[in-house]
Amino acid sequence: MIKRLFVMLCMQAGLMATCFGQVPADGLKKKNISDTLLLPTRTLLLPGTFNAQSALLQLFPGKHYRLVNGKYVNEMINWECKSCKPKKYEDVNEDGLGSFPYSAGVATRLLDVMDFRDSSGLAYKVISFSHSEFDEDGATVSRFTGGLLGLAKFVQTDQGWNLRMFQPGIKAYGAFSSCPTPKPLLIGSDQYAFILKHSNGGAGGPYDGDYYLIAGVNGGYQQVMAAYRIERTEGGEEGEELSSWTSTYSVPVSEKKYFRDILITLKGTVNAADTEQLPDEVKALIKGKKKAGFIAEERYVYKGAGKGYQLQLPVKASLTK
Protein backbone atom coordinates (compact mmCIF):
# COMPACT_ATOMS: atom_id res chain seq x y z
CA MET A 1 0.00 0.00 0.00
CA ILE A 2 2.85 2.39 0.87
CA LYS A 3 4.47 1.62 -2.50
CA ARG A 4 1.18 2.39 -4.24
CA LEU A 5 0.92 5.72 -2.42
CA PHE A 6 4.53 6.58 -3.31
CA VAL A 7 3.91 5.87 -6.99
CA MET A 8 0.73 7.96 -6.98
CA LEU A 9 2.48 10.90 -5.32
CA CYS A 10 5.39 10.60 -7.77
CA MET A 11 2.97 10.67 -10.69
CA GLN A 12 1.31 13.76 -9.24
CA ALA A 13 4.68 15.42 -8.70
CA GLY A 14 5.82 14.33 -12.15
CA LEU A 15 2.76 15.86 -13.79
CA MET A 16 3.31 19.11 -11.91
CA ALA A 17 6.98 19.18 -12.94
CA THR A 18 5.97 18.52 -16.53
CA CYS A 19 3.57 21.45 -16.43
CA PHE A 20 6.21 23.69 -14.92
CA GLY A 21 8.60 22.80 -17.75
CA GLN A 22 6.06 23.49 -20.50
CA VAL A 23 4.31 26.69 -19.46
CA PRO A 24 5.33 30.04 -20.94
CA ALA A 25 7.67 32.20 -18.90
CA ASP A 26 4.82 34.52 -17.95
CA GLY A 27 2.51 31.63 -17.00
CA LEU A 28 -0.72 30.27 -18.46
CA LYS A 29 -3.51 32.68 -19.34
CA LYS A 30 -7.29 32.64 -18.95
CA LYS A 31 -10.12 34.22 -20.94
CA ASN A 32 -13.28 35.90 -19.69
CA ILE A 33 -16.52 34.23 -20.87
CA SER A 34 -20.16 35.31 -20.69
CA ASP A 35 -22.42 34.16 -17.86
CA THR A 36 -24.97 33.03 -20.48
CA LEU A 37 -22.64 30.17 -21.43
CA LEU A 38 -23.22 28.49 -18.05
CA LEU A 39 -27.01 28.40 -18.24
CA PRO A 40 -28.56 24.89 -18.17
CA THR A 41 -30.78 26.07 -21.08
CA ARG A 42 -27.67 26.60 -23.24
CA THR A 43 -28.04 25.70 -26.92
CA LEU A 44 -25.23 24.38 -29.11
CA LEU A 45 -25.15 22.53 -32.45
CA LEU A 46 -21.96 20.81 -33.59
CA PRO A 47 -21.96 19.82 -37.30
CA GLY A 48 -19.84 16.99 -38.66
CA THR A 49 -17.88 14.39 -36.73
CA PHE A 50 -18.11 14.69 -32.97
CA ASN A 51 -14.89 15.67 -31.22
CA ALA A 52 -15.16 15.72 -27.43
CA GLN A 53 -12.32 18.18 -26.77
CA SER A 54 -13.65 20.55 -29.44
CA ALA A 55 -17.15 20.26 -27.94
CA LEU A 56 -15.77 21.12 -24.50
CA LEU A 57 -13.96 24.14 -25.89
CA GLN A 58 -17.19 25.43 -27.40
CA LEU A 59 -18.98 24.93 -24.11
CA PHE A 60 -16.20 26.79 -22.27
CA PRO A 61 -14.47 29.02 -24.87
CA GLY A 62 -11.42 29.94 -22.81
CA LYS A 63 -7.69 29.60 -23.41
CA HIS A 64 -6.86 26.05 -24.51
CA TYR A 65 -3.54 24.45 -23.53
CA ARG A 66 -2.12 20.99 -24.17
CA LEU A 67 1.13 20.53 -22.28
CA VAL A 68 3.01 17.37 -23.24
CA ASN A 69 6.24 15.90 -21.96
CA GLY A 70 6.75 12.24 -22.78
CA LYS A 71 3.78 10.25 -21.50
CA TYR A 72 2.44 13.11 -19.39
CA VAL A 73 -0.34 15.20 -20.94
CA ASN A 74 -1.97 18.10 -19.14
CA GLU A 75 -4.80 19.49 -21.28
CA MET A 76 -7.08 22.21 -19.98
CA ILE A 77 -9.27 25.17 -20.85
CA ASN A 78 -8.60 28.20 -18.65
CA TRP A 79 -11.37 30.76 -18.18
CA GLU A 80 -13.05 33.14 -15.81
CA CYS A 81 -16.52 34.70 -15.71
CA LYS A 82 -16.49 38.21 -14.31
CA SER A 83 -20.26 38.65 -14.71
CA CYS A 84 -21.21 35.29 -13.16
CA LYS A 85 -22.90 35.01 -9.79
CA PRO A 86 -20.87 32.28 -8.00
CA LYS A 87 -22.78 29.31 -6.58
CA LYS A 88 -21.81 26.96 -3.78
CA TYR A 89 -21.23 23.32 -4.77
CA GLU A 90 -20.61 20.55 -2.26
CA ASP A 91 -17.22 18.81 -2.12
CA VAL A 92 -17.54 15.30 -0.69
CA ASN A 93 -14.16 15.86 0.98
CA GLU A 94 -13.94 17.95 4.11
CA ASP A 95 -12.17 20.71 2.21
CA GLY A 96 -13.69 22.57 -0.72
CA LEU A 97 -12.80 25.14 -3.35
CA GLY A 98 -15.62 27.51 -2.46
CA SER A 99 -18.06 29.02 -4.92
CA PHE A 100 -18.00 28.23 -8.65
CA PRO A 101 -16.89 29.81 -10.93
CA TYR A 102 -13.86 30.31 -8.70
CA SER A 103 -12.69 33.86 -8.07
CA ALA A 104 -9.15 33.00 -9.23
CA GLY A 105 -10.46 31.51 -12.47
CA VAL A 106 -11.23 27.97 -13.66
CA ALA A 107 -9.30 25.18 -15.39
CA THR A 108 -11.65 22.73 -17.13
CA ARG A 109 -10.43 19.29 -18.23
CA LEU A 110 -12.13 16.60 -20.30
CA LEU A 111 -12.57 13.31 -18.43
CA ASP A 112 -14.26 11.06 -20.98
CA VAL A 113 -16.74 10.76 -23.83
CA MET A 114 -19.36 7.97 -23.68
CA ASP A 115 -21.29 6.63 -26.68
CA PHE A 116 -24.88 5.39 -26.46
CA ARG A 117 -27.68 4.25 -28.74
CA ASP A 118 -31.20 3.60 -27.46
CA SER A 119 -33.71 0.99 -28.65
CA SER A 120 -35.12 3.40 -31.25
CA GLY A 121 -31.70 3.81 -32.82
CA LEU A 122 -31.11 7.35 -31.52
CA ALA A 123 -27.40 7.98 -31.01
CA TYR A 124 -26.09 10.27 -28.31
CA LYS A 125 -22.85 11.08 -26.52
CA VAL A 126 -22.22 12.25 -22.97
CA ILE A 127 -18.99 14.05 -22.13
CA SER A 128 -17.77 14.33 -18.55
CA PHE A 129 -15.43 17.07 -17.40
CA SER A 130 -13.79 18.34 -14.24
CA HIS A 131 -13.19 21.89 -12.99
CA SER A 132 -10.36 22.99 -10.71
CA GLU A 133 -9.12 26.38 -9.61
CA PHE A 134 -6.99 28.18 -12.23
CA ASP A 135 -3.25 27.93 -11.68
CA GLU A 136 -0.65 29.72 -13.81
CA ASP A 137 1.51 26.57 -13.78
CA GLY A 138 -1.37 24.25 -14.71
CA ALA A 139 -1.09 22.32 -11.46
CA THR A 140 -3.82 20.59 -9.45
CA VAL A 141 -3.03 20.32 -5.76
CA SER A 142 -4.48 19.48 -2.33
CA ARG A 143 -5.21 15.84 -1.55
CA PHE A 144 -8.49 16.65 0.18
CA THR A 145 -9.99 18.86 -2.53
CA GLY A 146 -11.99 17.23 -5.31
CA GLY A 147 -12.63 18.27 -8.89
CA LEU A 148 -16.07 19.70 -9.65
CA LEU A 149 -17.87 17.31 -12.01
CA GLY A 150 -19.90 18.46 -15.01
CA LEU A 151 -21.80 16.58 -17.75
CA ALA A 152 -23.13 17.44 -21.21
CA LYS A 153 -25.35 15.26 -23.42
CA PHE A 154 -25.39 15.60 -27.22
CA VAL A 155 -27.96 13.92 -29.49
CA GLN A 156 -27.30 13.16 -33.16
CA THR A 157 -29.63 14.91 -35.61
CA ASP A 158 -29.60 15.48 -39.37
CA GLN A 159 -27.97 18.87 -38.75
CA GLY A 160 -25.30 17.57 -36.36
CA TRP A 161 -24.82 16.93 -32.66
CA ASN A 162 -27.34 18.94 -30.66
CA LEU A 163 -26.78 19.77 -26.98
CA ARG A 164 -29.71 18.16 -25.14
CA MET A 165 -28.70 18.39 -21.47
CA PHE A 166 -25.99 20.53 -19.84
CA GLN A 167 -24.93 20.61 -16.20
CA PRO A 168 -21.78 22.75 -15.78
CA GLY A 169 -21.36 21.69 -12.14
CA ILE A 170 -22.82 18.92 -9.98
CA LYS A 171 -20.54 18.13 -7.01
CA ALA A 172 -16.82 17.81 -6.38
CA TYR A 173 -15.30 14.34 -6.01
CA GLY A 174 -11.83 12.82 -5.89
CA ALA A 175 -8.52 14.29 -4.75
CA PHE A 176 -5.86 16.76 -5.89
CA SER A 177 -8.66 18.85 -7.47
CA SER A 178 -9.26 16.03 -9.97
CA CYS A 179 -12.56 14.18 -10.34
CA PRO A 180 -12.69 10.39 -10.95
CA THR A 181 -14.05 9.46 -14.37
CA PRO A 182 -17.76 8.48 -14.21
CA LYS A 183 -18.72 5.13 -15.75
CA PRO A 184 -22.07 4.42 -17.45
CA LEU A 185 -24.51 2.15 -15.62
CA LEU A 186 -27.77 0.88 -17.14
CA ILE A 187 -30.42 1.37 -14.43
CA GLY A 188 -33.56 1.05 -16.55
CA SER A 189 -34.98 0.66 -20.03
CA ASP A 190 -32.73 2.86 -22.21
CA GLN A 191 -31.83 4.69 -18.98
CA TYR A 192 -28.18 5.22 -18.20
CA ALA A 193 -26.76 6.79 -15.09
CA PHE A 194 -23.12 7.46 -14.25
CA ILE A 195 -21.30 5.96 -11.30
CA LEU A 196 -17.96 7.03 -9.88
CA LYS A 197 -15.81 5.78 -7.04
CA HIS A 198 -14.43 8.44 -4.73
CA SER A 199 -11.40 7.31 -2.73
CA ASN A 200 -9.30 9.29 -0.31
CA GLY A 201 -7.31 9.00 2.90
CA GLY A 202 -4.17 10.03 4.70
CA ALA A 203 -0.59 9.34 3.65
CA GLY A 204 0.18 5.63 3.92
CA GLY A 205 -3.47 4.62 3.85
CA PRO A 206 -5.80 3.04 4.34
CA TYR A 207 -8.05 4.67 1.75
CA ASP A 208 -11.82 4.65 2.17
CA GLY A 209 -14.03 4.46 -0.91
CA ASP A 210 -17.60 5.55 -1.66
CA TYR A 211 -19.82 5.19 -4.73
CA TYR A 212 -21.81 8.12 -6.10
CA LEU A 213 -24.44 7.85 -8.81
CA ILE A 214 -25.42 10.71 -11.13
CA ALA A 215 -28.64 10.51 -13.17
CA GLY A 216 -30.86 12.72 -15.28
CA VAL A 217 -33.78 14.01 -13.19
CA ASN A 218 -36.26 16.75 -14.13
CA GLY A 219 -34.22 17.90 -17.10
CA GLY A 220 -30.85 18.05 -15.36
CA TYR A 221 -28.13 15.85 -13.90
CA GLN A 222 -27.93 15.37 -10.16
CA GLN A 223 -26.53 12.96 -7.60
CA VAL A 224 -29.15 10.33 -6.77
CA MET A 225 -27.14 7.88 -4.65
CA ALA A 226 -24.31 7.93 -2.15
CA ALA A 227 -23.07 4.52 -0.98
CA TYR A 228 -20.51 5.01 1.77
CA ARG A 229 -17.67 2.76 2.95
CA ILE A 230 -17.81 0.45 -0.06
CA GLU A 231 -14.04 -0.07 0.03
CA ARG A 232 -11.19 -0.03 2.54
CA THR A 233 -7.70 -0.59 1.18
CA GLU A 234 -4.92 -2.20 3.12
CA GLY A 235 -2.55 0.14 4.91
CA GLY A 236 -1.93 1.92 8.17
CA GLU A 237 0.81 1.75 10.75
CA GLU A 238 3.19 -1.21 10.61
CA GLY A 239 1.78 -4.14 12.55
CA GLU A 240 -1.67 -2.59 12.77
CA GLU A 241 -4.49 -5.07 12.19
CA LEU A 242 -7.14 -3.30 10.15
CA SER A 243 -10.18 -4.59 8.31
CA SER A 244 -10.10 -4.27 4.52
CA TRP A 245 -12.55 -5.00 1.72
CA THR A 246 -13.41 -4.43 -1.92
CA SER A 247 -16.76 -4.12 -3.66
CA THR A 248 -18.65 -4.73 -6.90
CA TYR A 249 -22.00 -3.35 -8.07
CA SER A 250 -24.78 -4.65 -10.31
CA VAL A 251 -28.30 -3.79 -11.46
CA PRO A 252 -30.47 -6.93 -11.62
CA VAL A 253 -33.11 -7.02 -14.35
CA SER A 254 -36.56 -6.37 -12.86
CA GLU A 255 -40.06 -5.26 -13.73
CA LYS A 256 -39.10 -1.67 -12.90
CA LYS A 257 -38.80 0.33 -16.10
CA TYR A 258 -36.62 3.03 -14.55
CA PHE A 259 -34.38 3.41 -11.51
CA ARG A 260 -33.97 -0.29 -10.83
CA ASP A 261 -32.47 -1.53 -7.57
CA ILE A 262 -28.69 -1.44 -7.24
CA LEU A 263 -26.80 -4.19 -5.42
CA ILE A 264 -23.38 -3.55 -3.91
CA THR A 265 -21.42 -6.58 -2.69
CA LEU A 266 -18.63 -6.15 -0.15
CA LYS A 267 -15.97 -8.84 0.27
CA GLY A 268 -12.99 -8.77 2.58
CA THR A 269 -11.49 -9.45 5.98
CA VAL A 270 -12.83 -8.11 9.25
CA ASN A 271 -10.74 -7.75 12.39
CA ALA A 272 -12.61 -7.58 15.68
CA ALA A 273 -10.61 -4.54 16.79
CA ASP A 274 -11.58 -2.55 13.67
CA THR A 275 -15.29 -2.78 12.85
CA GLU A 276 -16.44 0.85 13.02
CA GLN A 277 -16.84 1.36 9.25
CA LEU A 278 -18.61 -1.95 8.59
CA PRO A 279 -22.35 -2.71 8.47
CA ASP A 280 -23.90 -3.65 11.82
CA GLU A 281 -24.79 -7.07 10.42
CA VAL A 282 -21.07 -7.84 9.89
CA LYS A 283 -20.22 -6.56 13.37
CA ALA A 284 -22.74 -8.97 14.88
CA LEU A 285 -21.17 -11.95 13.08
CA ILE A 286 -17.62 -11.26 14.24
CA LYS A 287 -18.49 -11.39 17.95
CA GLY A 288 -16.36 -14.03 19.67
CA LYS A 289 -13.82 -14.10 16.82
CA LYS A 290 -10.59 -12.16 16.26
CA LYS A 291 -10.59 -12.23 12.47
CA ALA A 292 -12.74 -13.62 9.66
CA GLY A 293 -13.55 -13.27 5.99
CA PHE A 294 -16.95 -11.79 5.19
CA ILE A 295 -19.36 -10.99 2.40
CA ALA A 296 -22.18 -8.45 2.62
CA GLU A 297 -24.83 -7.44 0.11
CA GLU A 298 -26.32 -3.95 0.24
CA ARG A 299 -29.48 -3.15 -1.73
CA TYR A 300 -30.26 0.45 -2.73
CA VAL A 301 -33.84 1.27 -3.77
CA TYR A 302 -34.97 4.47 -5.49
CA LYS A 303 -37.43 6.48 -3.39
CA GLY A 304 -38.18 9.36 -5.76
CA ALA A 305 -36.45 12.52 -6.95
CA GLY A 306 -36.42 14.07 -3.48
CA LYS A 307 -34.79 11.14 -1.66
CA GLY A 308 -32.94 9.29 -4.43
CA TYR A 309 -31.60 5.81 -3.69
CA GLN A 310 -31.79 4.61 -0.08
CA LEU A 311 -30.05 1.67 1.59
CA GLN A 312 -32.51 -1.06 2.58
CA LEU A 313 -31.99 -2.74 5.93
CA PRO A 314 -31.06 -5.27 7.11
CA VAL A 315 -27.93 -5.89 5.05
CA LYS A 316 -27.37 -9.51 4.07
CA ALA A 317 -24.09 -10.67 5.59
CA SER A 318 -22.20 -13.90 6.22
CA LEU A 319 -18.73 -15.09 7.18
CA THR A 320 -16.68 -16.94 4.59
CA LYS A 321 -13.88 -18.38 6.73
Side-chain angles (χ1 to χ4, degrees):
M1 189 65 226
I2 294 176
K3 180 179 178 182
R4 175 184 168 189
L5 174 66
F6 176 76
V7 171
M8 189 173 76
L9 291 177
C10 286
M11 288 178 65
Q12 180 71 17
L15 178 57
M16 290 172 63
T18 298
C19 297
F20 296 159
Q22 294 290 315
V23 300
D26 57 348
L28 302 180
K29 305 299 181 183
K30 56 191 174 184
K31 179 181 177 182
N32 184 47
I33 69 172
S34 169
D35 55 4
T36 60
L37 298 178
L38 301 183
L39 295 175
T41 55
R42 172 88 182 272
T43 60
L44 180 63
L45 180 64
L46 304 176
T49 303
F50 188 86
N51 179 285
Q53 187 62 53
S54 177
L56 188 63
L57 186 56
Q58 293 199 52
L59 288 172
F60 303 97
K63 296 284 288 184
H64 178 223
Y65 292 94
R66 191 171 191 271
L67 310 178
V68 182
N69 190 337
K71 64 180 180 178
Y72 295 112
V73 178
N74 187 14
E75 190 164 9
M76 76 209 81
I77 301 167
N78 294 332
W79 56 277
E80 62 182 346
C81 181
K82 296 179 180 178
S83 60
C84 283
K85 184 178 180 180
K87 177 183 176 182
K88 285 283 189 181
Y89 286 89
E90 181 183 348
D91 189 324
V92 299
N93 296 285
E94 294 180 359
D95 298 336
L97 282 175
S99 299
F100 174 84
Y102 312 123
S103 59
V106 183
T108 299
R109 292 174 171 85
L110 178 69
L111 294 175
D112 194 19
V113 56
M114 296 167 277
D115 293 276
F116 303 97
R117 189 177 296 273
D118 64 21
S119 57
S120 71
L122 180 68
Y124 61 100
K125 296 177 184 286
V126 177
I127 63 172
S128 57
F129 45 90
S130 175
H131 306 293
S132 61
E133 201 167 34
F134 169 75
D135 185 280
E136 289 184 347
D137 293 318
T140 53
V141 296
S142 177
R143 171 179 291 281
F144 295 103
T145 299
L148 180 62
L149 173 68
L151 293 170
K153 177 181 179 179
F154 291 86
V155 176
Q156 189 175 37
T157 67
D158 292 339
Q159 293 75 36
W161 294 92
N162 190 33
L163 181 62
R164 179 67 60 84
M165 194 179 297
F166 179 45
Q167 199 76 30
I170 301 171
K171 281 188 179 182
Y173 308 92
F176 294 111
S177 302
S178 300
C179 182
T181 301
K183 303 297 183 183
L185 182 66
L186 186 64
I187 61 171
S189 177
D190 286 337
Q191 182 192 21
Y192 278 91
F194 308 98
I195 192 166
L196 55 86
K197 183 169 73 173
H198 166 87
S199 184
N200 215 332
Y207 296 113
D208 294 312
D210 309 310
Y211 286 135
Y212 295 95
L213 188 72
I214 313 298
V217 179
N218 298 327
Y221 289 112
Q222 67 182 52
Q223 179 182 300
V224 296
M225 185 187 79
Y228 300 112
R229 300 176 294 277
I230 52 82
E231 180 183 67
R232 164 75 74 78
T233 65
E234 297 178 356
E237 299 294 332
E238 186 174 352
E240 190 175 15
E241 288 281 335
L242 296 178
S243 301
S244 63
W245 61 93
T246 59
S247 67
T248 57
Y249 55 83
S250 63
V251 182
V253 176
S254 70
E255 295 181 355
K256 294 182 179 179
K257 189 172 183 179
Y258 304 115
F259 293 105
R260 291 169 180 160
D261 296 356
I262 297 174
L263 299 183
I264 297 176
T265 302
L266 314 178
K267 291 182 180 180
T269 302
V270 53
N271 290 281
D274 177 37
T275 62
E276 182 179 355
Q277 302 298 317
L278 286 162
D280 290 339
E281 292 78 2
V282 175
K283 296 178 185 179
L285 293 173
I286 194 63
K287 288 182 179 179
K289 301 178 183 290
K290 291 185 177 180
K291 183 177 179 179
F294 76 92
I295 182 170
E297 182 183 270
E298 299 179 338
R299 178 179 291 268
Y300 286 80
V301 177
Y302 189 68
K303 298 295 185 179
K307 295 183 178 181
Y309 278 91
Q310 300 291 314
L311 175 63
Q312 301 302 289
L313 298 175
V315 172
K316 294 181 181 179
S318 62
L319 298 183
T320 58
K321 58 181 176 179

